[in-house]
Amino acid sequence: MQKVVEKPLTLTSAVVSDDKLLDEWIQSQYSSTYHFSGTCRMAAPHNGGVVDQSGKVYGVQGLRIADASVIPTIPASNTMWTTMMFAERIGCSVRDSIDVQAAALPSRI
């Protein structure tokens, strides 16, 4: 990895050796990010859905979505595990040739 990874531009050995400077450097470098989800909501079309439970996009033949965009409501925690669960389920439906009809979706979603 040392052959392909370069040193951080602003992190010097002087900063690393001084706790106060290192704390200040860390404060200046970290940030929060948003976990976008729900932009292609999994729900029945009459409830604002874009995909069915198999990830199939309504009205577009042969297109499936299997990422965080299908999550119907934003989870209270990080979206990674929820996304993995949805992707696994959609992947299994592709593998097993199982298509869930939009009518099978609960109306409360």
Side-chain angles (χ1 to χ4, degrees), residues 5-103:
V5 177
E6 296 182 21
K7 295 187 327 185
L9 295 175
T10 59
L11 185 60
T12 64
S13 57
V15 170
V16 173
S17 64
D18 183 310
D19 284 346
K20 184 175 186 279
L21 288 176
L22 184 57
D23 287 346
E24 290 172 359
W25 184 85
I26 291 170
Q27 289 285 337
S28 73
Q29 298 300 310
Y30 79 86
S31 65
S32 177
T33 59
Y34 294 99
H35 298 280
F36 294 104
S37 63
T39 56
C40 295
R41 188 170 180 249
M42 182 184 287
H46 64 276
N47 286 332
V50 176
V51 300
D52 67 12
Q53 290 180 342
S54 299
K56 294 175 78 175
V57 178
Y58 299 124
V60 182
Q61 188 173 0
L63 179 61
R64 292 185 193 240
I65 300 175
D67 63 14
S69 63
V70 303
I71 300 171
T73 57
I74 300 170
S77 62
N78 188 296
T79 58
M80 183 183 82
W81 295 114
T82 307
T83 302
M84 289 175 66
M85 178 199 65
F86 274 89
E88 178 76 17
R89 180 181 169 112
I90 292 169
C92 287
S93 73
V94 171
R95 180 197 65 206
D96 300 336
S97 299
I98 298 171
D99 292 327
V100 178
Q101 298 298 319

